[in-house]
Short mmCIF file of all heavy atoms in Angstrom, two decimals:
data_model
loop_
_atom_site.label_atom_id
_atom_site.label_comp_id
_atom_site.label_asym_id
_atom_site.label_seq_id
_atom_site.Cartn_x
_atom_site.Cartn_y
_atom_site.Cartn_z
N MET X 277 -4.44 -10.30 1.82
CA MET X 277 -3.58 -11.44 2.19
C MET X 277 -2.70 -11.05 3.38
O MET X 277 -2.11 -9.98 3.39
CB MET X 277 -2.72 -11.84 0.99
CG MET X 277 -1.89 -13.11 1.26
SD MET X 277 -0.76 -13.46 -0.09
CE MET X 277 -1.92 -13.80 -1.41
N HIS X 278 -2.63 -11.91 4.36
CA HIS X 278 -1.82 -11.64 5.53
C HIS X 278 -0.36 -11.97 5.26
O HIS X 278 -0.06 -13.02 4.71
CB HIS X 278 -2.33 -12.48 6.71
CG HIS X 278 -1.55 -12.27 7.96
ND1 HIS X 278 -1.47 -11.05 8.59
CD2 HIS X 278 -0.80 -13.11 8.68
CE1 HIS X 278 -0.71 -11.18 9.67
NE2 HIS X 278 -0.29 -12.40 9.75
N VAL X 279 0.53 -11.07 5.64
CA VAL X 279 1.97 -11.30 5.47
C VAL X 279 2.58 -11.61 6.84
O VAL X 279 2.58 -10.77 7.72
CB VAL X 279 2.67 -10.08 4.85
CG1 VAL X 279 4.16 -10.32 4.73
CG2 VAL X 279 2.06 -9.76 3.49
N ASP X 280 3.02 -12.83 7.02
CA ASP X 280 3.57 -13.26 8.30
C ASP X 280 5.08 -13.40 8.22
O ASP X 280 5.59 -14.31 7.60
CB ASP X 280 2.94 -14.60 8.68
CG ASP X 280 3.32 -15.01 10.09
OD1 ASP X 280 4.30 -14.47 10.63
OD2 ASP X 280 2.64 -15.89 10.64
N PRO X 281 5.82 -12.49 8.85
CA PRO X 281 7.28 -12.52 8.77
C PRO X 281 7.88 -13.80 9.36
O PRO X 281 8.96 -14.22 8.96
CB PRO X 281 7.72 -11.31 9.58
CG PRO X 281 6.51 -10.56 9.94
CD PRO X 281 5.31 -11.42 9.68
N ALA X 282 7.18 -14.41 10.29
CA ALA X 282 7.71 -15.62 10.92
C ALA X 282 7.88 -16.74 9.89
O ALA X 282 8.85 -17.48 9.92
CB ALA X 282 6.79 -16.08 12.04
N TYR X 283 6.91 -16.83 9.00
CA TYR X 283 6.99 -17.90 8.01
C TYR X 283 7.79 -17.50 6.78
O TYR X 283 8.42 -18.35 6.14
CB TYR X 283 5.59 -18.37 7.61
CG TYR X 283 4.98 -19.21 8.69
CD1 TYR X 283 4.02 -18.68 9.54
CD2 TYR X 283 5.41 -20.52 8.89
CE1 TYR X 283 3.48 -19.44 10.56
CE2 TYR X 283 4.88 -21.29 9.91
CZ TYR X 283 3.91 -20.74 10.74
OH TYR X 283 3.38 -21.49 11.76
N THR X 284 7.79 -16.22 6.43
CA THR X 284 8.60 -15.81 5.28
C THR X 284 10.07 -16.06 5.57
O THR X 284 10.84 -16.31 4.65
CB THR X 284 8.41 -14.32 4.94
OG1 THR X 284 8.71 -13.54 6.08
CG2 THR X 284 7.00 -14.05 4.45
N SER X 285 10.45 -16.03 6.86
CA SER X 285 11.85 -16.26 7.20
C SER X 285 12.25 -17.71 7.01
O SER X 285 13.41 -18.04 7.00
CB SER X 285 12.12 -15.82 8.64
OG SER X 285 11.51 -16.70 9.56
N GLN X 286 11.25 -18.57 6.85
CA GLN X 286 11.53 -20.00 6.64
C GLN X 286 11.19 -20.44 5.22
O GLN X 286 11.33 -21.61 4.88
CB GLN X 286 10.70 -20.84 7.62
CG GLN X 286 11.03 -20.56 9.07
CD GLN X 286 10.04 -21.21 10.01
OE1 GLN X 286 9.24 -22.05 9.62
NE2 GLN X 286 10.06 -20.82 11.27
N GLU X 287 10.73 -19.50 4.42
CA GLU X 287 10.29 -19.85 3.07
C GLU X 287 11.36 -19.55 2.03
O GLU X 287 11.95 -18.47 2.01
CB GLU X 287 9.02 -19.06 2.72
CG GLU X 287 8.52 -19.38 1.31
CD GLU X 287 7.26 -18.60 0.97
OE1 GLU X 287 6.58 -18.12 1.90
OE2 GLU X 287 6.98 -18.48 -0.22
N CYS X 288 11.59 -20.51 1.15
CA CYS X 288 12.56 -20.35 0.07
C CYS X 288 12.00 -19.38 -0.97
O CYS X 288 10.89 -19.56 -1.46
CB CYS X 288 12.84 -21.70 -0.57
SG CYS X 288 13.97 -21.60 -1.98
N SER X 289 12.78 -18.34 -1.30
CA SER X 289 12.30 -17.36 -2.28
C SER X 289 12.43 -17.89 -3.70
O SER X 289 11.95 -17.27 -4.64
CB SER X 289 13.05 -16.03 -2.12
OG SER X 289 14.42 -16.19 -2.38
N LYS X 290 13.07 -19.05 -3.87
CA LYS X 290 13.18 -19.67 -5.20
C LYS X 290 12.01 -20.62 -5.46
O LYS X 290 11.28 -20.47 -6.43
CB LYS X 290 14.50 -20.46 -5.31
CG LYS X 290 15.72 -19.59 -5.46
CD LYS X 290 15.92 -19.15 -6.89
CE LYS X 290 17.27 -18.43 -7.00
NZ LYS X 290 17.36 -17.58 -8.19
N CYS X 291 11.87 -21.63 -4.57
CA CYS X 291 10.87 -22.68 -4.82
C CYS X 291 9.70 -22.61 -3.84
O CYS X 291 8.76 -23.38 -3.96
CB CYS X 291 11.54 -24.06 -4.77
SG CYS X 291 11.98 -24.60 -3.11
N HIS X 292 9.78 -21.70 -2.85
CA HIS X 292 8.71 -21.45 -1.88
C HIS X 292 8.47 -22.62 -0.92
O HIS X 292 7.42 -22.69 -0.28
CB HIS X 292 7.41 -21.04 -2.58
CG HIS X 292 7.60 -19.80 -3.40
ND1 HIS X 292 7.78 -18.55 -2.86
CD2 HIS X 292 7.69 -19.63 -4.74
CE1 HIS X 292 7.94 -17.67 -3.82
NE2 HIS X 292 7.90 -18.29 -4.97
N HIS X 293 9.44 -23.51 -0.83
CA HIS X 293 9.36 -24.55 0.19
C HIS X 293 9.53 -23.89 1.55
O HIS X 293 10.44 -23.08 1.74
CB HIS X 293 10.45 -25.60 -0.03
CG HIS X 293 10.51 -26.62 1.07
ND1 HIS X 293 9.50 -27.52 1.28
CD2 HIS X 293 11.45 -26.86 2.01
CE1 HIS X 293 9.83 -28.28 2.32
NE2 HIS X 293 11.00 -27.90 2.78
N THR X 294 8.66 -24.21 2.50
CA THR X 294 8.71 -23.60 3.84
C THR X 294 8.97 -24.67 4.88
O THR X 294 8.19 -25.62 5.02
CB THR X 294 7.39 -22.87 4.16
OG1 THR X 294 7.14 -21.91 3.13
CG2 THR X 294 7.49 -22.16 5.50
N GLU X 295 10.09 -24.52 5.60
CA GLU X 295 10.45 -25.50 6.60
C GLU X 295 11.39 -24.86 7.61
O GLU X 295 12.25 -24.07 7.24
CB GLU X 295 11.14 -26.69 5.91
CG GLU X 295 11.49 -27.83 6.84
CD GLU X 295 12.27 -28.93 6.11
OE1 GLU X 295 11.91 -29.27 4.99
OE2 GLU X 295 13.24 -29.43 6.70
N ARG X 296 11.21 -25.23 8.88
CA ARG X 296 12.12 -24.69 9.91
C ARG X 296 13.56 -25.03 9.62
O ARG X 296 14.47 -24.26 9.90
CB ARG X 296 11.74 -25.26 11.28
CG ARG X 296 10.44 -24.70 11.83
CD ARG X 296 10.20 -25.24 13.22
NE ARG X 296 11.29 -24.87 14.13
CZ ARG X 296 11.10 -24.28 15.30
NH1 ARG X 296 9.89 -24.02 15.71
NH2 ARG X 296 12.11 -23.97 16.07
N GLY X 297 13.77 -26.22 9.05
CA GLY X 297 15.12 -26.68 8.74
C GLY X 297 15.83 -25.85 7.69
O GLY X 297 17.03 -26.02 7.46
N ASN X 298 15.07 -24.96 7.02
CA ASN X 298 15.68 -24.07 6.04
C ASN X 298 16.57 -23.02 6.70
O ASN X 298 17.28 -22.31 6.02
CB ASN X 298 14.60 -23.36 5.22
CG ASN X 298 13.94 -24.27 4.21
OD1 ASN X 298 14.39 -25.39 3.99
ND2 ASN X 298 12.88 -23.78 3.58
N ARG X 299 16.46 -22.92 8.04
CA ARG X 299 17.25 -21.92 8.76
C ARG X 299 18.22 -22.59 9.71
O ARG X 299 17.97 -22.69 10.90
CB ARG X 299 16.31 -20.99 9.55
CG ARG X 299 15.43 -20.10 8.68
CD ARG X 299 16.25 -19.03 7.95
NE ARG X 299 16.91 -18.14 8.91
CZ ARG X 299 16.31 -17.13 9.53
NH1 ARG X 299 15.05 -16.87 9.29
NH2 ARG X 299 16.96 -16.38 10.37
N PRO X 300 19.35 -23.07 9.19
CA PRO X 300 20.34 -23.74 10.05
C PRO X 300 20.99 -22.78 11.04
O PRO X 300 21.49 -23.21 12.07
CB PRO X 300 21.37 -24.27 9.05
CG PRO X 300 21.23 -23.38 7.85
CD PRO X 300 19.75 -23.00 7.79
N ALA X 301 20.98 -21.49 10.73
CA ALA X 301 21.51 -20.46 11.63
C ALA X 301 20.71 -19.18 11.44
O ALA X 301 20.02 -19.03 10.44
CB ALA X 301 22.99 -20.21 11.34
N GLN X 302 20.80 -18.28 12.42
CA GLN X 302 20.00 -17.06 12.39
C GLN X 302 20.18 -16.26 11.10
O GLN X 302 19.23 -15.73 10.54
CB GLN X 302 20.36 -16.19 13.59
CG GLN X 302 19.57 -14.90 13.68
CD GLN X 302 18.08 -15.15 13.90
OE1 GLN X 302 17.71 -16.13 14.54
NE2 GLN X 302 17.25 -14.27 13.39
N ALA X 303 21.42 -16.19 10.63
CA ALA X 303 21.71 -15.32 9.49
C ALA X 303 21.73 -16.06 8.16
O ALA X 303 21.96 -15.47 7.12
CB ALA X 303 23.05 -14.62 9.71
N VAL X 304 21.47 -17.37 8.21
CA VAL X 304 21.62 -18.18 6.99
C VAL X 304 20.31 -18.82 6.58
O VAL X 304 19.62 -19.41 7.40
CB VAL X 304 22.69 -19.29 7.21
CG1 VAL X 304 22.80 -20.16 5.95
CG2 VAL X 304 24.02 -18.67 7.57
N PHE X 305 19.99 -18.68 5.30
CA PHE X 305 18.88 -19.43 4.74
C PHE X 305 19.46 -20.47 3.79
O PHE X 305 20.26 -20.15 2.92
CB PHE X 305 17.92 -18.52 3.97
CG PHE X 305 16.77 -19.30 3.39
CD1 PHE X 305 15.61 -19.48 4.11
CD2 PHE X 305 16.89 -19.89 2.14
CE1 PHE X 305 14.57 -20.23 3.59
CE2 PHE X 305 15.85 -20.65 1.62
CZ PHE X 305 14.70 -20.82 2.35
N SER X 306 19.05 -21.73 3.98
CA SER X 306 19.53 -22.80 3.11
C SER X 306 18.36 -23.75 2.83
O SER X 306 17.94 -24.50 3.71
CB SER X 306 20.68 -23.55 3.80
OG SER X 306 21.12 -24.62 2.99
N CYS X 307 17.83 -23.70 1.61
CA CYS X 307 16.65 -24.50 1.27
C CYS X 307 16.98 -25.99 1.26
O CYS X 307 17.94 -26.43 0.65
CB CYS X 307 16.10 -24.08 -0.09
SG CYS X 307 14.60 -24.97 -0.53
N ARG X 308 16.14 -26.76 1.98
CA ARG X 308 16.35 -28.21 2.08
C ARG X 308 15.94 -28.92 0.80
O ARG X 308 16.26 -30.07 0.59
CB ARG X 308 15.52 -28.76 3.25
CG ARG X 308 15.73 -28.02 4.54
CD ARG X 308 16.88 -28.55 5.34
NE ARG X 308 16.55 -29.87 5.86
CZ ARG X 308 17.38 -30.59 6.61
NH1 ARG X 308 18.57 -30.11 6.90
NH2 ARG X 308 17.02 -31.75 7.06
N VAL X 309 15.17 -28.25 -0.04
CA VAL X 309 14.64 -28.89 -1.24
C VAL X 309 15.48 -28.58 -2.49
O VAL X 309 15.96 -29.48 -3.17
CB VAL X 309 13.17 -28.48 -1.48
CG1 VAL X 309 12.68 -28.96 -2.85
CG2 VAL X 309 12.30 -29.08 -0.37
N CYS X 310 15.67 -27.28 -2.78
CA CYS X 310 16.35 -26.91 -4.02
C CYS X 310 17.80 -26.50 -3.80
O CYS X 310 18.55 -26.32 -4.74
CB CYS X 310 15.59 -25.79 -4.75
SG CYS X 310 15.76 -24.16 -3.99
N GLY X 311 18.21 -26.37 -2.52
CA GLY X 311 19.61 -26.06 -2.24
C GLY X 311 19.95 -24.59 -2.32
O GLY X 311 21.11 -24.21 -2.20
N PHE X 312 18.95 -23.74 -2.53
CA PHE X 312 19.18 -22.30 -2.62
C PHE X 312 19.72 -21.77 -1.30
O PHE X 312 19.18 -22.05 -0.24
CB PHE X 312 17.86 -21.61 -2.99
CG PHE X 312 17.96 -20.11 -3.05
CD1 PHE X 312 18.73 -19.50 -4.02
CD2 PHE X 312 17.26 -19.32 -2.15
CE1 PHE X 312 18.82 -18.12 -4.09
CE2 PHE X 312 17.33 -17.94 -2.21
CZ PHE X 312 18.11 -17.34 -3.18
N VAL X 313 20.81 -21.00 -1.36
CA VAL X 313 21.43 -20.44 -0.16
C VAL X 313 21.51 -18.92 -0.29
O VAL X 313 21.92 -18.41 -1.33
CB VAL X 313 22.85 -21.01 0.05
CG1 VAL X 313 23.53 -20.35 1.25
CG2 VAL X 313 22.79 -22.52 0.25
N GLU X 314 21.10 -18.23 0.76
CA GLU X 314 21.15 -16.78 0.77
C GLU X 314 21.18 -16.28 2.21
O GLU X 314 20.79 -17.01 3.12
CB GLU X 314 19.92 -16.20 0.05
CG GLU X 314 20.02 -14.71 -0.23
CD GLU X 314 18.86 -14.20 -1.06
OE1 GLU X 314 17.71 -14.55 -0.76
OE2 GLU X 314 19.10 -13.45 -2.00
N HIS X 315 21.62 -15.02 2.40
CA HIS X 315 21.49 -14.42 3.72
C HIS X 315 20.01 -14.43 4.10
O HIS X 315 19.15 -14.07 3.30
CB HIS X 315 22.02 -12.99 3.68
CG HIS X 315 22.15 -12.36 5.05
ND1 HIS X 315 21.06 -11.94 5.77
CD2 HIS X 315 23.23 -12.13 5.83
CE1 HIS X 315 21.47 -11.45 6.93
NE2 HIS X 315 22.78 -11.55 6.99
N ALA X 316 19.73 -14.86 5.33
CA ALA X 316 18.35 -15.09 5.75
C ALA X 316 17.49 -13.84 5.61
O ALA X 316 16.33 -13.92 5.20
CB ALA X 316 18.33 -15.58 7.19
N ASP X 317 18.02 -12.68 5.95
CA ASP X 317 17.23 -11.46 5.88
C ASP X 317 16.89 -11.09 4.44
O ASP X 317 15.81 -10.59 4.15
CB ASP X 317 17.99 -10.30 6.54
CG ASP X 317 18.07 -10.46 8.05
OD1 ASP X 317 17.26 -11.24 8.60
OD2 ASP X 317 18.93 -9.82 8.67
N HIS X 318 17.79 -11.35 3.52
CA HIS X 318 17.54 -11.05 2.12
C HIS X 318 16.46 -11.97 1.58
O HIS X 318 15.55 -11.55 0.86
CB HIS X 318 18.82 -11.21 1.29
CG HIS X 318 19.85 -10.17 1.58
ND1 HIS X 318 21.10 -10.18 1.01
CD2 HIS X 318 19.81 -9.07 2.39
CE1 HIS X 318 21.79 -9.13 1.46
NE2 HIS X 318 21.04 -8.45 2.30
N ASN X 319 16.58 -13.25 1.93
CA ASN X 319 15.58 -14.21 1.46
C ASN X 319 14.19 -13.83 1.97
O ASN X 319 13.22 -13.82 1.20
CB ASN X 319 15.95 -15.61 1.96
CG ASN X 319 14.96 -16.65 1.46
OD1 ASN X 319 14.95 -17.02 0.30
ND2 ASN X 319 14.09 -17.11 2.34
N ALA X 320 14.10 -13.49 3.25
CA ALA X 320 12.80 -13.13 3.83
C ALA X 320 12.25 -11.86 3.19
O ALA X 320 11.05 -11.76 2.92
CB ALA X 320 12.94 -12.93 5.34
N SER X 321 13.12 -10.89 2.92
CA SER X 321 12.65 -9.63 2.33
C SER X 321 12.11 -9.87 0.93
O SER X 321 11.16 -9.23 0.50
CB SER X 321 13.78 -8.60 2.31
OG SER X 321 14.79 -8.95 1.39
N HIS X 322 12.70 -10.82 0.21
CA HIS X 322 12.18 -11.15 -1.12
C HIS X 322 10.77 -11.73 -0.99
O HIS X 322 9.87 -11.37 -1.76
CB HIS X 322 13.08 -12.19 -1.81
CG HIS X 322 14.39 -11.61 -2.24
ND1 HIS X 322 15.44 -12.41 -2.65
CD2 HIS X 322 14.82 -10.34 -2.33
CE1 HIS X 322 16.47 -11.62 -2.97
NE2 HIS X 322 16.12 -10.37 -2.78
N ASN X 323 10.59 -12.60 -0.03
CA ASN X 323 9.29 -13.23 0.16
C ASN X 323 8.24 -12.20 0.60
O ASN X 323 7.11 -12.21 0.13
CB ASN X 323 9.38 -14.34 1.21
CG ASN X 323 10.14 -15.54 0.67
OD1 ASN X 323 10.11 -15.81 -0.53
ND2 ASN X 323 10.81 -16.25 1.54
N ILE X 324 8.63 -11.30 1.51
CA ILE X 324 7.69 -10.29 1.99
C ILE X 324 7.32 -9.33 0.86
O ILE X 324 6.16 -8.98 0.69
CB ILE X 324 8.30 -9.52 3.19
CG1 ILE X 324 8.42 -10.46 4.39
CG2 ILE X 324 7.45 -8.30 3.52
CD1 ILE X 324 9.22 -9.88 5.54
N ALA X 325 8.31 -8.94 0.06
CA ALA X 325 8.05 -8.04 -1.05
C ALA X 325 7.10 -8.69 -2.04
O ALA X 325 6.17 -8.06 -2.54
CB ALA X 325 9.36 -7.67 -1.75
N HIS X 326 7.31 -9.96 -2.30
CA HIS X 326 6.46 -10.69 -3.24
C HIS X 326 5.04 -10.77 -2.71
O HIS X 326 4.08 -10.46 -3.41
CB HIS X 326 7.03 -12.08 -3.46
CG HIS X 326 6.23 -12.90 -4.43
ND1 HIS X 326 6.18 -12.62 -5.77
CD2 HIS X 326 5.44 -13.97 -4.24
CE1 HIS X 326 5.38 -13.50 -6.37
NE2 HIS X 326 4.92 -14.33 -5.46
N ARG X 327 4.87 -11.15 -1.46
CA ARG X 327 3.54 -11.30 -0.88
C ARG X 327 2.85 -9.94 -0.76
O ARG X 327 1.66 -9.81 -1.01
CB ARG X 327 3.63 -11.93 0.51
CG ARG X 327 4.10 -13.38 0.45
CD ARG X 327 4.05 -14.00 1.82
NE ARG X 327 4.64 -15.34 1.79
CZ ARG X 327 4.52 -16.21 2.77
NH1 ARG X 327 3.87 -15.89 3.85
NH2 ARG X 327 5.08 -17.40 2.68
N GLY X 328 3.61 -8.91 -0.36
CA GLY X 328 3.04 -7.58 -0.23
C GLY X 328 2.54 -7.07 -1.56
O GLY X 328 1.47 -6.48 -1.65
N TRP X 329 3.32 -7.31 -2.61
CA TRP X 329 2.92 -6.87 -3.94
C TRP X 329 1.65 -7.60 -4.38
O TRP X 329 0.71 -6.99 -4.88
CB TRP X 329 4.07 -7.14 -4.92
CG TRP X 329 3.66 -6.93 -6.35
CD1 TRP X 329 3.43 -7.88 -7.28
CD2 TRP X 329 3.44 -5.67 -7.00
NE1 TRP X 329 3.07 -7.29 -8.45
CE2 TRP X 329 3.06 -5.95 -8.33
CE3 TRP X 329 3.52 -4.33 -6.58
CZ2 TRP X 329 2.77 -4.93 -9.23
CZ3 TRP X 329 3.23 -3.33 -7.49
CH2 TRP X 329 2.86 -3.63 -8.79
N MET X 330 1.59 -8.89 -4.15
CA MET X 330 0.43 -9.66 -4.55
C MET X 330 -0.82 -9.19 -3.79
O MET X 330 -1.90 -9.14 -4.35
CB MET X 330 0.67 -11.15 -4.27
CG MET X 330 1.77 -11.76 -5.14
SD MET X 330 1.52 -11.56 -6.91
CE MET X 330 0.26 -12.81 -7.18
N ALA X 331 -0.64 -8.82 -2.51
CA ALA X 331 -1.77 -8.34 -1.73
C ALA X 331 -2.22 -6.98 -2.23
O ALA X 331 -3.40 -6.67 -2.30
CB ALA X 331 -1.38 -8.25 -0.25
N TRP X 332 -1.26 -6.15 -2.62
CA TRP X 332 -1.53 -4.79 -3.05
C TRP X 332 -2.37 -4.77 -4.33
O TRP X 332 -3.30 -3.99 -4.47
CB TRP X 332 -0.20 -4.05 -3.24
CG TRP X 332 -0.37 -2.61 -3.57
CD1 TRP X 332 -0.17 -2.00 -4.78
CD2 TRP X 332 -0.79 -1.57 -2.68
NE1 TRP X 332 -0.44 -0.66 -4.67
CE2 TRP X 332 -0.82 -0.37 -3.41
CE3 TRP X 332 -1.13 -1.55 -1.32
CZ2 TRP X 332 -1.18 0.85 -2.82
CZ3 TRP X 332 -1.50 -0.35 -0.74
CH2 TRP X 332 -1.52 0.84 -1.48
N VAL X 333 -2.04 -5.62 -5.26
CA VAL X 333 -2.79 -5.64 -6.52
C VAL X 333 -4.10 -6.41 -6.35
O VAL X 333 -4.92 -6.44 -7.25
CB VAL X 333 -1.97 -6.26 -7.67
CG1 VAL X 333 -0.72 -5.44 -7.93
CG2 VAL X 333 -1.61 -7.70 -7.39
N CYS X 334 -4.29 -7.02 -5.17
CA CYS X 334 -5.57 -7.60 -4.80
C CYS X 334 -6.07 -8.63 -5.81
O CYS X 334 -7.22 -8.59 -6.25
CB CYS X 334 -6.61 -6.51 -4.59
SG CYS X 334 -7.98 -7.01 -3.54
N GLY X 335 -5.19 -9.54 -6.19
CA GLY X 335 -5.62 -10.63 -7.05
C GLY X 335 -5.51 -10.35 -8.54
O GLY X 335 -5.68 -11.25 -9.35
N ALA X 336 -5.24 -9.10 -8.90
CA ALA X 336 -5.08 -8.79 -10.32
C ALA X 336 -3.83 -9.46 -10.88
O ALA X 336 -2.84 -9.64 -10.17
CB ALA X 336 -4.98 -7.28 -10.52
N GLN X 337 -3.85 -9.83 -12.13
CA GLN X 337 -2.70 -10.47 -12.75
C GLN X 337 -1.54 -9.49 -12.79
O GLN X 337 -1.67 -8.38 -13.34
CB GLN X 337 -3.06 -10.92 -14.16
CG GLN X 337 -2.01 -11.85 -14.79
CD GLN X 337 -1.98 -13.22 -14.12
OE1 GLN X 337 -3.01 -13.71 -13.67
NE2 GLN X 337 -0.81 -13.82 -14.04
N SER X 338 -0.42 -9.87 -12.20
CA SER X 338 0.74 -8.99 -12.19
C SER X 338 1.52 -9.10 -13.49
O SER X 338 1.83 -10.21 -13.95
CB SER X 338 1.65 -9.35 -11.02
OG SER X 338 2.85 -8.61 -11.11
N THR X 339 1.84 -7.96 -14.08
CA THR X 339 2.67 -7.95 -15.28
C THR X 339 4.03 -7.33 -14.98
O THR X 339 4.83 -7.12 -15.87
CB THR X 339 1.99 -7.16 -16.41
OG1 THR X 339 1.71 -5.85 -15.95
CG2 THR X 339 0.71 -7.84 -16.86
N ALA X 340 4.25 -7.03 -13.69
CA ALA X 340 5.52 -6.41 -13.31
C ALA X 340 6.66 -7.43 -13.43
O ALA X 340 6.50 -8.59 -13.05
CB ALA X 340 5.45 -5.91 -11.87
N PRO X 341 7.79 -6.99 -13.97
CA PRO X 341 8.94 -7.89 -14.07
C PRO X 341 9.52 -8.22 -12.70
O PRO X 341 9.40 -7.42 -11.77
CB PRO X 341 9.94 -7.10 -14.92
CG PRO X 341 9.57 -5.67 -14.71
CD PRO X 341 8.07 -5.67 -14.51
N GLU X 342 10.15 -9.38 -12.57
CA GLU X 342 10.74 -9.81 -11.31
C GLU X 342 11.75 -8.80 -10.78
O GLU X 342 11.95 -8.69 -9.58
CB GLU X 342 11.44 -11.17 -11.49
CG GLU X 342 10.46 -12.34 -11.45
CD GLU X 342 9.89 -12.55 -10.05
OE1 GLU X 342 10.66 -12.58 -9.10
OE2 GLU X 342 8.66 -12.67 -9.92
N LEU X 343 12.38 -8.06 -11.66
CA LEU X 343 13.42 -7.12 -11.27
C LEU X 343 12.93 -6.11 -10.23
O LEU X 343 13.70 -5.67 -9.39
CB LEU X 343 13.93 -6.35 -12.50
CG LEU X 343 14.90 -7.11 -13.39
CD1 LEU X 343 15.23 -6.28 -14.63
CD2 LEU X 343 16.19 -7.43 -12.62
N THR X 344 11.66 -5.75 -10.26
CA THR X 344 11.14 -4.75 -9.33
C THR X 344 11.09 -5.27 -7.91
O THR X 344 10.94 -4.51 -6.98
CB THR X 344 9.72 -4.31 -9.73
OG1 THR X 344 8.87 -5.45 -9.71
CG2 THR X 344 9.71 -3.70 -11.12
N LEU X 345 11.23 -6.59 -7.72
CA LEU X 345 11.13 -7.17 -6.40
C LEU X 345 12.48 -7.35 -5.74
O LEU X 345 12.57 -7.71 -4.59
CB LEU X 345 10.43 -8.54 -6.48
CG LEU X 345 8.99 -8.49 -7.02
CD1 LEU X 345 8.45 -9.88 -7.12
CD2 LEU X 345 8.12 -7.63 -6.11
N ILE X 346 13.55 -7.10 -6.47
CA ILE X 346 14.89 -7.31 -5.92
C ILE X 346 15.31 -6.09 -5.10
O ILE X 346 15.35 -4.98 -5.61
CB ILE X 346 15.90 -7.57 -7.06
CG1 ILE X 346 15.56 -8.89 -7.74
CG2 ILE X 346 17.33 -7.60 -6.50
CD1 ILE X 346 16.40 -9.15 -8.96
N ALA X 347 15.59 -6.33 -3.82
CA ALA X 347 15.96 -5.23 -2.93
C ALA X 347 17.38 -4.77 -3.22
O ALA X 347 18.23 -5.57 -3.54
CB ALA X 347 15.84 -5.68 -1.48
ZN1 ZN B 297 14.05 -23.89 -2.45
#
């Protein structure tokens, strides 16, 4: 699976809604759908970690707890 940082920076790590409008400022992530707000870099790193993990296990069912993905 390809991990594209450009889109992870616009993707909500809560509901996975992806929209340019989710980034009202460089350092701010604010989801237009669920209202989730976080520092933009933290939100993107959560998304990248999630996608990277999913790619690493190559489609196998993940049993890892969410806690392992929190930076
Ligand atoms: Zn959201």
Side-chain angles (χ1 to χ4, degrees):
M277 186 186 294
H278 180 62
V279 178
D280 188 342
Y283 285 102
T284 56
S285 70
Q286 299 170 13
E287 179 180 341
C288 177
S289 63
K290 285 278 187 200
C291 73
H292 301 289
H293 174 67
T294 304
E295 184 184 318
R296 288 184 60 128
N298 286 351
R299 292 291 298 280
Q302 181 65 31
V304 178
F305 180 90
S306 178
C307 182
R308 309 272 291 180
V309 171
C310 74
F312 177 66
V313 176
E314 191 174 46
H315 190 286
D317 290 341
H318 291 175
N319 182 73
S321 69
H322 289 168
N323 288 330
I324 292 170
H326 181 69
R327 293 185 186 193
W329 170 254
M330 294 304 284
W332 185 253
V333 298
C334 203
Q337 192 69 33
S338 173
T339 56
E342 279 291 311
L343 281 175
T344 60
L345 299 177
I346 295 174

